[in-house]
Amino acid sequence: MKVDVLIVGAGGAGLYAALSAAKEAKGLNIAVMSKVYPTRSHTGAAQGGINAALANVDPSDNEELHTFDTIKGSDYLADQNAVKYMCYEAPRIIREMEHMGVPFSRLNNGKIAQRPFGGASKDRTCYSADKMGHVMLHTLYEQCIKNDIKFLNEWFLLNIAHNGKRIQGVSAINIATGEIQFVKTKAVILATGGHSRIYWGYTSNALGCTGDGTAAVLRAGLPLKDMEFLQFHPTGLRKSAILVTEAARGEGGHLVNNVGERFMKKYAPEKMELGPRDLVSRSIMQEIREGRGFRDEEGREYVHLDLTHLGEKKIKERLPQIRELAIDFEGIDPIKEPIPIKPTAHYAMGGIDTNVKCETPLEGLYAAGEAQCVSVHGSNRLGGNSLLDIVVFGHVAGLEAVRYAEGADFAKGGTEIIENEKRRIEELMNKESKETLGDLRAELGEIMFKHFGVFKNESEMQEGYNKLKNLIERAHNNLGVEDKSKVFNLDLQATLEFFNLLDIADVLAYASLQRKESRGSFYRDDYPKRDDENYLYHSVITRNADGSYDYKKGEVDISLYAPAERKY
């Protein structure tokens, strides 16, 4: 198959890239490949909103304030001109989506409604009740259909092929038939999402958030950036870790410990529950550490998110999905009683190393969305900036990929990758499993949460890394595929996804051991202070053919605001 521009991933970044590419292209063949039907992509799980300095609630808000809040929230590891570009693009792109038909909630004057979110100095989070990602995803997909964009639905990315300088294409499985195919392409945009499923039972991410594009880039010998920075969202449901949106606190929800205290007054006296996510997550875990959390009959520890004072009308109007999730997964009606919550692995700040044009070091290969590290989130992302990131840089990636493809031909070669893929998958299909995929995945989640969780230290991380290396070896030696069929072999897909998770967990653990400071989402008990003198850099990691890592320090753009102490 030949495609001029191939977008891998059909979430918000992939769909916006496809739309922008289709509008820019002059006769190019553009296709979107997705392992799930597009409207099942993880963007649909985003609840609270998307940031833009529209100044609809507070006339004093502006793009410069949004830029500063984002840089401060990042703990000064974000590249500042990239942040500025994103924040200044935000109002335009929100209005563009409004004109596409995204059904934003409205103020009484008809303007787009905006609510307060953590780490923001103004009310700038645009929303649609608590289903912002869902309505965005469906609207963007409708627009793609309107623009006759080709979709390869239920195709699973295996690897990328290149000649050391240029992209040649990608290998993929057509899940419906089991065929392994090579797609020759001039340009590829990887919009494959995040990788928080390395925390398996302790994450808000969908089952498919297995970092497929990120792992493929690592295997291809290309750089990943800032992989040690993975955000824990403060409020996941106690039993399932399913997300409870930050909007619940933006609308006035209180975090309460077992003595009835709104404990955030000790940690962020000005912002309280609307401090940045890293700070609120650590505060919750500190309360639990010091014995002020609750414990259920199964030993799970948690605190309360109390919405009862908001009243039935407001909860049903502004937070209907949260109420439904609390009832379905906790047996709790938040109108009547507090929601039991704990931090949940939520978002990857690190990912595929790109510049502000979404370019990787490989010609013709681009990345956008959570798979990409540009870096606009640094060491900690502000709520409401993820949906903004995916559409702003999805748009950029679409334009840049088309401009490249218009002046390029198809690179020769690449098809030899297919024989390697067939051999690898045949070995998995023929191998007798000595351990089960479910047990190994659960063990991975336990290792990552215990040793690379909200709090870290040298000895625990080293112990965890040793356990992880053992798990990786056992998986490669003992794990096969039980289902021998070709058609819709989800056992094979889940096994390949697991190996992607192992690749990513390994590089995250390695990167974590190199950073001996605390910054944003990355907190070490043994190095509790931020160290700008020695660690104000992006970690850039490439995997060598022998499995070792090449670790480099990338410069951080601090040209707009000098790093300062972060207080809330």
Side-chain angles (χ1 to χ4, degrees):
M1 182 185 295
K2 277 190 175 183
V3 175
D4 291 306
V5 178
L6 178 69
I7 296 124
V8 186
L15 296 182
Y16 222 103
L19 276 174
S20 298
K23 292 173 183 177
E24 178 77 6
K26 300 174 179 66
L28 292 184
N29 183 11
I30 296 166
V32 179
M33 177 190 291
S34 177
K35 68 179 179 181
V36 297
Y37 194 74
T39 50
R40 301 290 291 173
S41 299
H42 191 55
T43 297
Q47 298 166 342
I50 178 170
N51 290 340
L54 302 181
N56 289 347
V57 173
D58 189 335
S60 66
D61 196 16
N62 57 53
E63 294 89 344
E64 186 175 350
L65 285 173
H66 186 186
T67 301
F68 176 73
D69 287 346
T70 300
I71 291 167
K72 179 182 176 184
S74 80
D75 219 352
Y76 294 90
L77 196 72
D79 287 325
Q80 297 184 5
N81 277 294
V83 173
K84 181 177 180 179
Y85 177 81
M86 179 181 75
C87 296
Y88 277 74
E89 274 286 285
R92 182 197 67 78
I93 215 151
I94 291 293
R95 294 188 176 100
E96 185 172 81
M97 288 196 296
E98 180 185 27
H99 294 163
M100 289 180 190
V102 173
F104 290 100
S105 294
R106 300 282 169 172
L107 301 171
N108 290 333
N109 61 10
K111 293 183 177 181
I112 293 173
Q114 296 184 278
R115 58 170 44 128
F117 247 49
S121 57
K122 304 291 180 182
D123 296 4
R124 69 169 65 97
T125 304
C126 311
Y127 62 94
S128 180
D130 57 355
K131 302 176 183 180
M132 189 68 240
H134 177 84
V135 301
M136 274 178 55
L137 186 65
H138 280 256
T139 304
L140 292 174
Y141 183 56
E142 290 166 0
Q143 290 295 311
C144 287
I145 296 299
K146 177 182 175 181
N147 283 274
D148 297 320
I149 291 166
K150 180 180 181 179
F151 281 87
L152 302 172
N153 291 331
E154 295 175 323
W155 283 54
F156 177 67
L157 173 73
L158 293 172
N159 281 294
I160 60 175
H162 65 91
N163 59 16
K165 182 181 179 184
R166 287 185 55 194
I167 189 80
Q168 296 167 312
V170 307
S171 56
I173 297 177
N174 181 338
I175 299 168
T177 65
E179 290 182 271
I180 301 170
Q181 299 207 17
F182 182 73
V183 183
K184 183 172 275 294
T185 178
K186 297 177 182 177
V188 172
I189 300 170
L190 295 176
T192 47
H195 48 257
S196 292
R197 269 284 151 186
I198 58 174
Y199 289 84
W200 201 254
Y202 301 89
T203 176
S204 65
N205 278 198
L207 295 176
C209 293
T210 51
D212 306 327
T214 310
V217 162
L218 182 68
R219 289 191 294 269
L222 299 169
L224 304 181
K225 185 163 69 183
D226 292 343
M227 290 297 288
E228 63 268 41
F229 295 108
L230 193 138
Q231 181 177 80
F232 283 79
H233 193 289
T235 54
L237 291 177
R238 163 190 53 181
K239 296 177 182 177
S240 62
I242 290 171
L243 186 67
V244 177
T245 173
E246 194 163 310
R249 287 171 284 133
E251 296 294 346
H254 297 163
L255 290 170
V256 181
N257 60 20
N258 66 12
V259 294
E261 175 190 23
R262 280 183 70 187
F263 55 84
M264 283 309 300
K265 64 186 178 184
K266 294 183 289 189
Y267 304 100
E270 293 183 20
K271 286 290 186 181
M272 293 291 285
E273 285 85 3
L274 289 178
R277 288 177 176 176
D278 61 314
L279 176 57
V280 180
S281 292
R282 284 196 299 276
S283 302
I284 291 170
M285 294 304 294
Q286 190 65 30
E287 291 295 300
I288 291 171
R289 268 181 162 188
E290 295 178 3
R292 292 186 293 277
F294 301 89
R295 180 188 289 267
D296 65 18
E297 63 279 1
E298 295 182 31
R300 289 179 291 242
E301 295 182 298
Y302 59 94
V303 298
H304 278 153
L305 174 62
D306 190 359
L307 309 180
T308 56
H309 57 283
L310 301 181
E312 181 175 355
K313 182 176 183 296
K314 190 170 188 177
I315 290 173
K316 286 184 173 180
E317 178 185 303
R318 302 283 184 88
L319 302 167
Q321 183 177 217
I322 293 308
R323 180 175 182 242
E324 185 180 335
L325 291 171
I327 292 171
D328 289 348
F329 291 93
E330 289 287 348
I332 297 273
D333 186 344
I335 293 172
K336 301 174 182 177
E337 51 189 321
I339 305 172
I341 60 91
K342 62 180 181 182
T344 176
H346 180 61
Y347 186 89
M349 275 77 67
I352 301 165
D353 185 14
T354 78
N355 60 19
V356 76
K357 290 184 176 182
C358 302
E359 297 168 325
T360 70
L362 189 69
E363 284 185 29
L365 181 64
Y366 302 81
E370 194 177 346
Q372 169 201 40
C373 182
V374 62
S375 149
V376 288
H377 307 303
S379 62
N380 178 64
R381 176 177 67 77
L382 294 188
N385 272 351
S386 59
L387 289 181
L388 178 61
D389 169 15
I390 64 176
V391 292
V392 167
F393 290 102
H395 173 66
V396 171
L399 296 182
E400 294 296 330
V402 163
R403 290 166 186 166
Y404 175 81
E406 284 176 337
D409 54 6
F410 289 97
K412 294 178 181 179
T415 54
E416 57 275 11
I417 195 175
I418 293 300
E419 292 308 313
N420 295 332
E421 303 292 14
K422 287 180 178 178
R423 191 161 47 248
R424 178 168 71 113
I425 289 171
E426 187 177 348
E427 287 175 2
L428 280 174
M429 297 291 278
N430 292 333
K431 185 185 294 184
E432 181 183 350
S433 287
K434 298 176 184 175
E435 298 192 67
T436 69
L437 174 61
D439 287 344
L440 292 174
R441 275 192 312 213
E443 188 175 338
L444 173 64
E446 292 289 338
I447 291 170
M448 297 308 295
F449 189 75
K450 179 179 179 181
H451 298 279
F452 300 92
V454 175
F455 294 107
K456 306 171 185 70
N457 63 59
E458 184 78 18
S459 61
E460 286 195 359
M461 285 196 293
Q462 191 59 60
E463 181 186 351
Y465 197 34
N466 294 338
K467 289 180 181 177
L468 180 60
K469 287 294 189 183
N470 175 261
L471 177 66
I472 292 170
E473 183 178 357
R474 284 164 44 211
H476 282 285
N477 291 336
N478 300 337
L479 190 59
V481 176
E482 298 291 328
D483 183 356
K484 307 303 181 183
S485 65
K486 290 191 72 175
V487 175
F488 281 103
N489 190 334
L490 301 185
D491 184 18
L492 171 61
Q493 181 183 332
T495 302
L496 293 171
E497 288 174 327
F498 180 60
F499 284 116
N500 286 340
L501 290 175
L502 291 177
D503 281 340
I504 290 170
D506 188 59
V507 72
L508 184 148
Y510 175 82
S512 297
L513 283 162
Q514 312 311 309
R515 187 172 287 273
K516 294 176 171 31
E517 66 157 356
S518 290
R519 185 185 298 269
S521 66
F522 187 84
Y523 189 87
R524 291 185 58 152
D525 290 322
D526 48 353
Y527 295 96
K529 301 294 184 183
R530 193 179 83 194
D531 182 358
D532 289 339
E533 183 177 347
N534 296 302
Y535 292 96
L536 182 59
Y537 64 77
H538 295 300
S539 58
V540 181
I541 298 179
T542 307
R543 191 166 79 180
N544 301 312
D546 63 358
S548 63
Y549 291 116
D550 181 19
Y551 184 91
K552 294 181 180 177
K553 299 176 180 180
E555 184 179 355
V556 180
D557 173 12
I558 53 171
S559 57
L560 302 178
Y561 299 98
E565 184 181 359
R566 201 173 55 137
K567 292 181 179 179
Y568 290 96

